[in-house]
Structure formats: C-alpha cells, structure tokens
Amino acid sequence: MDDIQTRLQKSSRATRQDYFGKAICYSCIGLIILLVACILYFIASKGLATFTQNGVKFWNFLTQSDWKPGDVDKYGNPQVGALPMIVTSFSVTILAALLATPFAIGAAVFMTEIANKKGAKFLQPVIELLVGIPSVVYGFIGLSLIVPFIRGIFGGTGFGILSGTLVLFVMVLPTITSLSVDSLKSVPMHYCQASLALGATRWQTIYKVILKAAAPGLLTAVIFGMARAFGEALAVQMVIGNAVLMPKNLISPASTLTSKLTTEIGNTVMGTLPNNALWSLALVLLFMSLLFNLVVRFIGRRGNIKNER
C-alpha cells in the first residue's frame, strides 16, 4: 500500500516533460520581452540625447525645416529640423495607401466572391510572389522605369514623392490584398445567405453586407499597409531624391525619415550631434510604429464589440 501511494505521489515522466515545456515557453517569452525592452531603451536613450545633451528643443526639431546638424543658426541653435522628412514620409505613405486600397480590396473581392477556385488558386501565388520580392529589386525597377517615365512626362529629375508613391503602391498592394482576403473570408456565410434569400443581387450582397461586415478587418489591412510603407527604406531611397527640402510638389526631390537614416547613419560619429539627431529620427519611426499598432488594436477591438452586438 505504501509503495502504491509513493508511486502515485511521485511526478511522472509526462509531468516532468510538461514542466520542462512550460519552462522553455516562459524562457522564450521572457527573452523576447527583454529583447524588446532593450531595443526600446537603446533607441530612446540615443534619440533623447539630442534634446537632453545637445540642447535641441523638441518643438524646433518637429517644426523647423533646416537639417544641418553640424551648423548653428544666428542664435547659436543647432539646425536640426525634421519637418521636411516627416511631411515627406507621411505624404508617400498616405498617397500609396490611397492608391493601393481600391486595387487591393477589388482583388480581394474578386478572389473571394467572384472568381472560381482555379482563379483564386492562380492569383494567390501571384500575390505571395510580390510579397517575397526584395526591396532593392523594387527600388531598381523604380529607378530604371518609373523615374525616367516621370521625367519624360513632367520634366525635372524624375525623383520625388510621385516616384516613391508608385514604388510603395506596388510594395504594399500584396500586403493589403492578403489581409483583405482573410477579412472577407471571415464574414459568416449566413450573412450572404440571408441577403440573397431576401432578394438582393450578388453585387448588393457584396457592397451592402460583406464589405460592411468586414470593414474593421479591411481598415486593419490598410493600416498594416501604411505601416509597411512608412518603414520602407531602401526602395524609397533609390527613387525619392534624398534632398532634405520641404516638398513643393510631387516631382521635386525630397527625403523620408528612413532614407535619411540609411544614407547618413554610417557617416557620423557615435555620440556627436549629427549621430544623435539621426537616432532621434529613428525614435520618431519607432513611435509611429507603436502608433500604427495601437490603431490596429483599437480597430480590432471595435470590430469585436460590433460583432458581439
């Protein structure tokens, strides 16, 4: 009897494996949290040094348009104004999203509601192929085709916001399309059946039922596409012109936050004002990434609440 009780109280091999698996999972989670915290601390400490050590005013950094970290103005203040790069980054991101969203949603509707299974199976690998193409390839195609095309039509150098928008349009299109397809597929089938049973046509069902029910997911897809466009560096750098000037039109050379970082981060000395100013640009990018994630979570939560009602 005592032997049976001892064996029952003793942990089994399956229990030890369960504890071991939990330990591995918690260790991996802790490592990921530690890694993210270290990245946030490193970027924040370097980015805030511009304001705490070099005496640059945060408001001037966001609102001034002169970017010459090695020079000072007549009042002795460093010329570290990131407004042109911030405006250009938002311009190419918003324009690319506005241009890509109708095509992406249209392709998603065609793949989920109109095309047969063979058509959907053919289009899905094409979309996935566009996702897997490296950024440098998109940039080289834009430099070889889009820039000369714009130069021939509008004149000028061909570099600018318009070229960056067209390149980002192609890059974010598969992202928005894939997420839109998933969102449309998640709409319950009885919504469509009820609409058709009431006498609605296929287009009325798509427009008034399916798209409205999938609206939170479609907005999430657009936000993810904007986040992808906002953080793109290499492809935009090759076609934007890399001139830190306030954009006057869509065909004048400009510079985004990411293009400025990639072109100058290797040409500065760690700890100096030019280097700290670039880390401040990286901090702005990090803040925008967090903002995009918060917007996605907010839209997803609102969609869940609406579905529960």
mmCIF file of all heavy atoms in Angstrom, residues 249-292:
data_model
loop_
_atom_site.group_PDB
_atom_site.id
_atom_site.type_symbol
_atom_site.label_atom_id
_atom_site.label_comp_id
_atom_site.label_asym_id
_atom_site.label_seq_id
_atom_site.Cartn_x
_atom_site.Cartn_y
_atom_site.Cartn_z
ATOM 1 N N ASN A 249 6.019 70.037 -54.519
ATOM 2 C CA ASN A 249 5.125 69.314 -55.405
ATOM 3 C C ASN A 249 5.513 67.842 -55.367
ATOM 4 O O ASN A 249 6.402 67.439 -54.604
ATOM 5 C CB ASN A 249 5.181 69.882 -56.825
ATOM 6 C CG ASN A 249 6.609 70.024 -57.330
ATOM 7 O OD1 ASN A 249 7.356 69.043 -57.372
ATOM 8 N ND2 ASN A 249 6.992 71.242 -57.706
ATOM 9 N N LEU A 250 4.864 67.042 -56.187
ATOM 10 C CA LEU A 250 5.090 65.596 -56.164
ATOM 11 C C LEU A 250 6.302 65.157 -56.971
ATOM 12 O O LEU A 250 6.696 63.988 -56.885
ATOM 13 C CB LEU A 250 3.845 64.862 -56.679
ATOM 14 C CG LEU A 250 2.561 65.053 -55.882
ATOM 15 C CD1 LEU A 250 1.427 64.259 -56.507
ATOM 16 C CD2 LEU A 250 2.761 64.647 -54.432
ATOM 17 N N ILE A 251 6.895 66.070 -57.746
ATOM 18 C CA ILE A 251 8.007 65.665 -58.606
ATOM 19 C C ILE A 251 9.306 66.377 -58.238
ATOM 20 O O ILE A 251 10.268 66.329 -59.009
ATOM 21 C CB ILE A 251 7.671 65.933 -60.091
ATOM 22 C CG1 ILE A 251 7.317 67.405 -60.308
ATOM 23 C CG2 ILE A 251 6.546 65.032 -60.549
ATOM 24 C CD1 ILE A 251 7.109 67.770 -61.781
ATOM 25 N N SER A 252 9.368 67.007 -57.089
ATOM 26 C CA SER A 252 10.612 67.615 -56.640
ATOM 27 C C SER A 252 11.321 66.656 -55.685
ATOM 28 O O SER A 252 10.671 65.967 -54.895
ATOM 29 C CB SER A 252 10.334 68.944 -55.936
ATOM 30 O OG SER A 252 9.513 68.746 -54.793
ATOM 31 N N PRO A 253 12.656 66.570 -55.749
ATOM 32 C CA PRO A 253 13.399 65.659 -54.858
ATOM 33 C C PRO A 253 13.113 65.955 -53.388
ATOM 34 O O PRO A 253 12.982 67.104 -52.967
ATOM 35 C CB PRO A 253 14.864 65.936 -55.212
ATOM 36 C CG PRO A 253 14.831 66.476 -56.598
ATOM 37 C CD PRO A 253 13.553 67.269 -56.692
ATOM 38 N N ALA A 254 12.992 64.909 -52.607
ATOM 39 C CA ALA A 254 12.695 65.039 -51.185
ATOM 40 C C ALA A 254 13.414 63.917 -50.443
ATOM 41 O O ALA A 254 14.230 63.193 -51.018
ATOM 42 C CB ALA A 254 11.186 64.995 -50.947
ATOM 43 N N SER A 255 13.121 63.782 -49.168
ATOM 44 C CA SER A 255 13.762 62.747 -48.355
ATOM 45 C C SER A 255 12.802 62.312 -47.254
ATOM 46 O O SER A 255 12.111 63.146 -46.656
ATOM 47 C CB SER A 255 15.065 63.270 -47.742
ATOM 48 O OG SER A 255 15.695 62.285 -46.953
ATOM 49 N N THR A 256 12.747 61.018 -47.000
ATOM 50 C CA THR A 256 11.944 60.482 -45.910
ATOM 51 C C THR A 256 12.819 60.220 -44.685
ATOM 52 O O THR A 256 14.051 60.328 -44.752
ATOM 53 C CB THR A 256 11.257 59.179 -46.333
ATOM 54 O OG1 THR A 256 12.258 58.210 -46.663
ATOM 55 C CG2 THR A 256 10.357 59.396 -47.534
ATOM 56 N N LEU A 257 12.197 59.877 -43.595
ATOM 57 C CA LEU A 257 12.947 59.559 -42.376
ATOM 58 C C LEU A 257 13.864 58.364 -42.598
ATOM 59 O O LEU A 257 15.032 58.366 -42.193
ATOM 60 C CB LEU A 257 11.967 59.276 -41.234
ATOM 61 C CG LEU A 257 11.102 60.451 -40.759
ATOM 62 C CD1 LEU A 257 10.000 59.950 -39.831
ATOM 63 C CD2 LEU A 257 11.956 61.490 -40.040
ATOM 64 N N THR A 258 13.338 57.340 -43.243
ATOM 65 C CA THR A 258 14.124 56.122 -43.437
ATOM 66 C C THR A 258 15.260 56.331 -44.427
ATOM 67 O O THR A 258 16.360 55.808 -44.238
ATOM 68 C CB THR A 258 13.216 54.987 -43.926
ATOM 69 O OG1 THR A 258 12.477 55.438 -45.072
ATOM 70 C CG2 THR A 258 12.240 54.571 -42.849
ATOM 71 N N SER A 259 15.005 57.083 -45.500
ATOM 72 C CA SER A 259 16.066 57.301 -46.484
ATOM 73 C C SER A 259 17.202 58.119 -45.888
ATOM 74 O O SER A 259 18.376 57.880 -46.192
ATOM 75 C CB SER A 259 15.495 57.997 -47.724
ATOM 76 O OG SER A 259 15.015 59.293 -47.414
ATOM 77 N N LYS A 260 16.885 59.079 -45.032
ATOM 78 C CA LYS A 260 17.931 59.869 -44.377
ATOM 79 C C LYS A 260 18.750 59.011 -43.434
ATOM 80 O O LYS A 260 19.986 59.151 -43.352
ATOM 81 C CB LYS A 260 17.295 61.040 -43.620
ATOM 82 C CG LYS A 260 18.308 62.106 -43.185
ATOM 83 C CD LYS A 260 18.935 62.749 -44.389
ATOM 84 C CE LYS A 260 19.915 63.851 -43.986
ATOM 85 N NZ LYS A 260 20.593 64.416 -45.175
ATOM 86 N N LEU A 261 18.092 58.120 -42.730
ATOM 87 C CA LEU A 261 18.813 57.223 -41.818
ATOM 88 C C LEU A 261 19.771 56.316 -42.571
ATOM 89 O O LEU A 261 20.936 56.157 -42.186
ATOM 90 C CB LEU A 261 17.809 56.386 -41.022
ATOM 91 C CG LEU A 261 17.177 57.054 -39.803
ATOM 92 C CD1 LEU A 261 16.030 56.203 -39.268
ATOM 93 C CD2 LEU A 261 18.215 57.244 -38.710
ATOM 94 N N THR A 262 19.309 55.709 -43.643
ATOM 95 C CA THR A 262 20.149 54.753 -44.354
ATOM 96 C C THR A 262 21.320 55.418 -45.066
ATOM 97 O O THR A 262 22.376 54.798 -45.230
ATOM 98 C CB THR A 262 19.313 53.979 -45.383
ATOM 99 O OG1 THR A 262 18.644 54.906 -46.246
ATOM 100 C CG2 THR A 262 18.280 53.114 -44.690
ATOM 101 N N THR A 263 21.167 56.656 -45.499
ATOM 102 C CA THR A 263 22.238 57.314 -46.236
ATOM 103 C C THR A 263 23.299 57.936 -45.333
ATOM 104 O O THR A 263 24.456 58.069 -45.756
ATOM 105 C CB THR A 263 21.667 58.419 -47.142
ATOM 106 O OG1 THR A 263 20.867 59.316 -46.365
ATOM 107 C CG2 THR A 263 20.821 57.816 -48.247
ATOM 108 N N GLU A 264 22.941 58.286 -44.088
ATOM 109 C CA GLU A 264 23.891 59.049 -43.270
ATOM 110 C C GLU A 264 24.298 58.378 -41.970
ATOM 111 O O GLU A 264 25.240 58.850 -41.322
ATOM 112 C CB GLU A 264 23.311 60.435 -42.956
ATOM 113 C CG GLU A 264 23.197 61.338 -44.161
ATOM 114 C CD GLU A 264 22.982 62.785 -43.771
ATOM 115 O OE1 GLU A 264 22.984 63.085 -42.555
ATOM 116 O OE2 GLU A 264 22.793 63.613 -44.670
ATOM 117 N N ILE A 265 23.640 57.311 -41.552
ATOM 118 C CA ILE A 265 23.974 56.736 -40.249
ATOM 119 C C ILE A 265 25.394 56.194 -40.219
ATOM 120 O O ILE A 265 26.049 56.174 -39.171
ATOM 121 C CB ILE A 265 22.962 55.621 -39.879
ATOM 122 C CG1 ILE A 265 23.085 55.244 -38.398
ATOM 123 C CG2 ILE A 265 23.146 54.421 -40.779
ATOM 124 C CD1 ILE A 265 22.707 56.329 -37.444
ATOM 125 N N GLY A 266 25.930 55.765 -41.355
ATOM 126 C CA GLY A 266 27.286 55.243 -41.395
ATOM 127 C C GLY A 266 28.349 56.296 -41.562
ATOM 128 O O GLY A 266 29.550 55.986 -41.531
ATOM 129 N N ASN A 267 27.949 57.560 -41.744
ATOM 130 C CA ASN A 267 28.903 58.646 -41.968
ATOM 131 C C ASN A 267 29.007 59.589 -40.784
ATOM 132 O O ASN A 267 29.544 60.691 -40.920
ATOM 133 C CB ASN A 267 28.498 59.448 -43.218
ATOM 134 C CG ASN A 267 28.444 58.591 -44.463
ATOM 135 O OD1 ASN A 267 29.279 57.710 -44.653
ATOM 136 N ND2 ASN A 267 27.456 58.836 -45.319
ATOM 137 N N THR A 268 28.486 59.196 -39.631
ATOM 138 C CA THR A 268 28.547 60.031 -38.437
ATOM 139 C C THR A 268 29.285 59.302 -37.318
ATOM 140 O O THR A 268 29.402 58.079 -37.322
ATOM 141 C CB THR A 268 27.131 60.401 -37.955
ATOM 142 O OG1 THR A 268 26.392 59.191 -37.706
ATOM 143 C CG2 THR A 268 26.403 61.227 -39.000
ATOM 144 N N VAL A 269 29.760 60.069 -36.359
ATOM 145 C CA VAL A 269 30.499 59.523 -35.221
ATOM 146 C C VAL A 269 29.542 59.344 -34.049
ATOM 147 O O VAL A 269 28.767 60.266 -33.723
ATOM 148 C CB VAL A 269 31.672 60.445 -34.826
ATOM 149 C CG1 VAL A 269 32.438 59.868 -33.635
ATOM 150 C CG2 VAL A 269 32.612 60.643 -36.014
ATOM 151 N N MET A 270 29.590 58.188 -33.416
ATOM 152 C CA MET A 270 28.701 57.892 -32.301
ATOM 153 C C MET A 270 28.896 58.901 -31.173
ATOM 154 O O MET A 270 30.018 59.198 -30.766
ATOM 155 C CB MET A 270 28.964 56.480 -31.780
ATOM 156 C CG MET A 270 27.982 56.018 -30.715
ATOM 157 S SD MET A 270 26.330 55.725 -31.371
ATOM 158 C CE MET A 270 26.609 54.243 -32.343
ATOM 159 N N GLY A 271 27.796 59.447 -30.678
ATOM 160 C CA GLY A 271 27.840 60.390 -29.572
ATOM 161 C C GLY A 271 27.829 61.837 -29.992
ATOM 162 O O GLY A 271 27.614 62.718 -29.152
ATOM 163 N N THR A 272 28.051 62.135 -31.272
ATOM 164 C CA THR A 272 28.014 63.514 -31.748
ATOM 165 C C THR A 272 26.587 63.927 -32.073
ATOM 166 O O THR A 272 25.681 63.088 -32.183
ATOM 167 C CB THR A 272 28.900 63.678 -32.988
ATOM 168 O OG1 THR A 272 28.408 62.812 -34.034
ATOM 169 C CG2 THR A 272 30.346 63.299 -32.675
ATOM 170 N N LEU A 273 26.389 65.246 -32.257
ATOM 171 C CA LEU A 273 25.052 65.741 -32.557
ATOM 172 C C LEU A 273 24.495 65.182 -33.864
ATOM 173 O O LEU A 273 23.326 64.776 -33.904
ATOM 174 C CB LEU A 273 25.056 67.277 -32.593
ATOM 175 C CG LEU A 273 23.736 67.936 -33.025
ATOM 176 C CD1 LEU A 273 22.588 67.511 -32.115
ATOM 177 C CD2 LEU A 273 23.884 69.453 -33.052
ATOM 178 N N PRO A 274 25.268 65.119 -34.961
ATOM 179 C CA PRO A 274 24.710 64.527 -36.181
ATOM 180 C C PRO A 274 24.244 63.089 -35.982
ATOM 181 O O PRO A 274 23.211 62.688 -36.531
ATOM 182 C CB PRO A 274 25.881 64.602 -37.175
ATOM 183 C CG PRO A 274 26.690 65.765 -36.709
ATOM 184 C CD PRO A 274 26.599 65.724 -35.215
ATOM 185 N N ASN A 275 24.984 62.308 -35.185
ATOM 186 C CA ASN A 275 24.579 60.935 -34.930
ATOM 187 C C ASN A 275 23.359 60.872 -34.028
ATOM 188 O O ASN A 275 22.419 60.104 -34.283
ATOM 189 C CB ASN A 275 25.737 60.161 -34.309
ATOM 190 C CG ASN A 275 25.423 58.691 -34.101
ATOM 191 O OD1 ASN A 275 25.010 58.281 -33.023
ATOM 192 N ND2 ASN A 275 25.599 57.891 -35.139
ATOM 193 N N ASN A 276 23.328 61.689 -32.972
ATOM 194 C CA ASN A 276 22.176 61.700 -32.074
ATOM 195 C C ASN A 276 20.911 62.169 -32.797
ATOM 196 O O ASN A 276 19.809 61.682 -32.517
ATOM 197 C CB ASN A 276 22.455 62.614 -30.876
ATOM 198 C CG ASN A 276 23.513 62.043 -29.952
ATOM 199 O OD1 ASN A 276 23.758 60.835 -29.926
ATOM 200 N ND2 ASN A 276 24.163 62.915 -29.199
ATOM 201 N N ALA A 277 21.065 63.110 -33.741
ATOM 202 C CA ALA A 277 19.903 63.596 -34.486
ATOM 203 C C ALA A 277 19.304 62.482 -35.338
ATOM 204 O O ALA A 277 18.077 62.373 -35.465
ATOM 205 C CB ALA A 277 20.303 64.782 -35.356
ATOM 206 N N LEU A 278 20.173 61.646 -35.911
ATOM 207 C CA LEU A 278 19.660 60.510 -36.687
ATOM 208 C C LEU A 278 18.933 59.511 -35.795
ATOM 209 O O LEU A 278 17.921 58.934 -36.191
ATOM 210 C CB LEU A 278 20.814 59.830 -37.429
ATOM 211 C CG LEU A 278 21.468 60.651 -38.542
ATOM 212 C CD1 LEU A 278 22.654 59.900 -39.123
ATOM 213 C CD2 LEU A 278 20.469 60.975 -39.639
ATOM 214 N N TRP A 279 19.451 59.301 -34.580
ATOM 215 C CA TRP A 279 18.750 58.419 -33.648
ATOM 216 C C TRP A 279 17.413 59.023 -33.220
ATOM 217 O O TRP A 279 16.465 58.291 -32.920
ATOM 218 C CB TRP A 279 19.621 58.140 -32.423
ATOM 219 C CG TRP A 279 20.682 57.135 -32.670
ATOM 220 C CD1 TRP A 279 22.034 57.340 -32.734
ATOM 221 C CD2 TRP A 279 20.483 55.734 -32.902
ATOM 222 N NE1 TRP A 279 22.689 56.160 -33.004
ATOM 223 C CE2 TRP A 279 21.768 55.165 -33.105
ATOM 224 C CE3 TRP A 279 19.376 54.919 -32.979
ATOM 225 C CZ2 TRP A 279 21.943 53.811 -33.366
ATOM 226 C CZ3 TRP A 279 19.544 53.568 -33.233
ATOM 227 C CH2 TRP A 279 20.818 53.030 -33.424
ATOM 228 N N SER A 280 17.314 60.348 -33.224
ATOM 229 C CA SER A 280 16.021 60.981 -32.942
ATOM 230 C C SER A 280 15.026 60.684 -34.060
ATOM 231 O O SER A 280 13.834 60.474 -33.807
ATOM 232 C CB SER A 280 16.202 62.492 -32.777
ATOM 233 O OG SER A 280 17.042 62.780 -31.678
ATOM 234 N N LEU A 281 15.520 60.650 -35.304
ATOM 235 C CA LEU A 281 14.651 60.250 -36.410
ATOM 236 C C LEU A 281 14.189 58.804 -36.230
ATOM 237 O O LEU A 281 13.033 58.472 -36.500
ATOM 238 C CB LEU A 281 15.392 60.402 -37.739
ATOM 239 C CG LEU A 281 15.836 61.804 -38.143
ATOM 240 C CD1 LEU A 281 16.515 61.756 -39.509
ATOM 241 C CD2 LEU A 281 14.668 62.767 -38.164
ATOM 242 N N ALA A 282 15.108 57.938 -35.788
ATOM 243 C CA ALA A 282 14.739 56.544 -35.522
ATOM 244 C C ALA A 282 13.702 56.461 -34.411
ATOM 245 O O ALA A 282 12.802 55.604 -34.458
ATOM 246 C CB ALA A 282 15.985 55.738 -35.151
ATOM 247 N N LEU A 283 13.801 57.338 -33.416
ATOM 248 C CA LEU A 283 12.812 57.353 -32.336
ATOM 249 C C LEU A 283 11.440 57.763 -32.857
ATOM 250 O O LEU A 283 10.414 57.211 -32.434
ATOM 251 C CB LEU A 283 13.272 58.308 -31.233
ATOM 252 C CG LEU A 283 12.410 58.365 -29.965
ATOM 253 C CD1 LEU A 283 12.352 57.004 -29.291
ATOM 254 C CD2 LEU A 283 12.955 59.412 -29.001
ATOM 255 N N VAL A 284 11.399 58.701 -33.789
ATOM 256 C CA VAL A 284 10.126 59.085 -34.407
ATOM 257 C C VAL A 284 9.529 57.910 -35.165
ATOM 258 O O VAL A 284 8.323 57.638 -35.090
ATOM 259 C CB VAL A 284 10.337 60.292 -35.338
ATOM 260 C CG1 VAL A 284 9.043 60.608 -36.106
ATOM 261 C CG2 VAL A 284 10.775 61.506 -34.549
ATOM 262 N N LEU A 285 10.372 57.173 -35.889
ATOM 263 C CA LEU A 285 9.901 55.984 -36.609
ATOM 264 C C LEU A 285 9.345 54.939 -35.641
ATOM 265 O O LEU A 285 8.314 54.316 -35.905
ATOM 266 C CB LEU A 285 11.045 55.387 -37.419
ATOM 267 C CG LEU A 285 11.404 56.086 -38.727
ATOM 268 C CD1 LEU A 285 12.689 55.511 -39.299
ATOM 269 C CD2 LEU A 285 10.284 55.963 -39.736
ATOM 270 N N LEU A 286 10.041 54.738 -34.525
ATOM 271 C CA LEU A 286 9.574 53.773 -33.525
ATOM 272 C C LEU A 286 8.235 54.204 -32.950
ATOM 273 O O LEU A 286 7.326 53.372 -32.775
ATOM 274 C CB LEU A 286 10.625 53.640 -32.423
ATOM 275 C CG LEU A 286 10.259 52.710 -31.259
ATOM 276 C CD1 LEU A 286 10.099 51.278 -31.746
ATOM 277 C CD2 LEU A 286 11.339 52.775 -30.172
ATOM 278 N N PHE A 287 8.102 55.481 -32.656
ATOM 279 C CA PHE A 287 6.839 55.985 -32.126
ATOM 280 C C PHE A 287 5.704 55.780 -33.124
ATOM 281 O O PHE A 287 4.590 55.393 -32.749
ATOM 282 C CB PHE A 287 6.981 57.471 -31.780
ATOM 283 C CG PHE A 287 5.690 58.112 -31.352
ATOM 284 C CD1 PHE A 287 5.176 57.907 -30.087
ATOM 285 C CD2 PHE A 287 4.983 58.930 -32.231
ATOM 286 C CE1 PHE A 287 3.979 58.490 -29.697
ATOM 287 C CE2 PHE A 287 3.797 59.518 -31.855
ATOM 288 C CZ PHE A 287 3.294 59.304 -30.586
ATOM 289 N N MET A 288 5.984 56.012 -34.408
ATOM 290 C CA MET A 288 4.952 55.827 -35.416
ATOM 291 C C MET A 288 4.576 54.352 -35.548
ATOM 292 O O MET A 288 3.396 54.022 -35.754
ATOM 293 C CB MET A 288 5.424 56.381 -36.757
ATOM 294 C CG MET A 288 5.516 57.890 -36.808
ATOM 295 S SD MET A 288 3.982 58.706 -36.308
ATOM 296 C CE MET A 288 2.809 57.967 -37.430
ATOM 297 N N SER A 289 5.542 53.452 -35.429
ATOM 298 C CA SER A 289 5.232 52.015 -35.474
ATOM 299 C C SER A 289 4.324 51.622 -34.323
ATOM 300 O O SER A 289 3.354 50.867 -34.504
ATOM 301 C CB SER A 289 6.526 51.205 -35.435
ATOM 302 O OG SER A 289 7.338 51.487 -36.553
ATOM 303 N N LEU A 290 4.624 52.121 -33.132
ATOM 304 C CA LEU A 290 3.764 51.845 -31.979
ATOM 305 C C LEU A 290 2.368 52.425 -32.189
ATOM 306 O O LEU A 290 1.366 51.808 -31.822
ATOM 307 C CB LEU A 290 4.399 52.415 -30.709
ATOM 308 C CG LEU A 290 5.731 51.797 -30.271
ATOM 309 C CD1 LEU A 290 6.290 52.529 -29.058
ATOM 310 C CD2 LEU A 290 5.568 50.318 -29.958
ATOM 311 N N LEU A 291 2.307 53.611 -32.798
ATOM 312 C CA LEU A 291 1.011 54.238 -33.050
ATOM 313 C C LEU A 291 0.187 53.413 -34.033
ATOM 314 O O LEU A 291 -1.021 53.211 -33.832
ATOM 315 C CB LEU A 291 1.215 55.658 -33.584
ATOM 316 C CG LEU A 291 -0.062 56.461 -33.865
ATOM 317 C CD1 LEU A 291 -0.867 56.646 -32.584
ATOM 318 C CD2 LEU A 291 0.293 57.818 -34.474
ATOM 319 N N PHE A 292 0.831 52.922 -35.088
ATOM 320 C CA PHE A 292 0.118 52.071 -36.046
ATOM 321 C C PHE A 292 -0.419 50.816 -35.356
ATOM 322 O O PHE A 292 -1.556 50.388 -35.613
ATOM 323 C CB PHE A 292 1.042 51.683 -37.194
ATOM 324 C CG PHE A 292 1.229 52.769 -38.223
ATOM 325 C CD1 PHE A 292 2.494 53.165 -38.608
ATOM 326 C CD2 PHE A 292 0.139 53.389 -38.803
ATOM 327 C CE1 PHE A 292 2.678 54.161 -39.555
ATOM 328 C CE2 PHE A 292 0.299 54.391 -39.748
ATOM 329 C CZ PHE A 292 1.575 54.770 -40.124
#
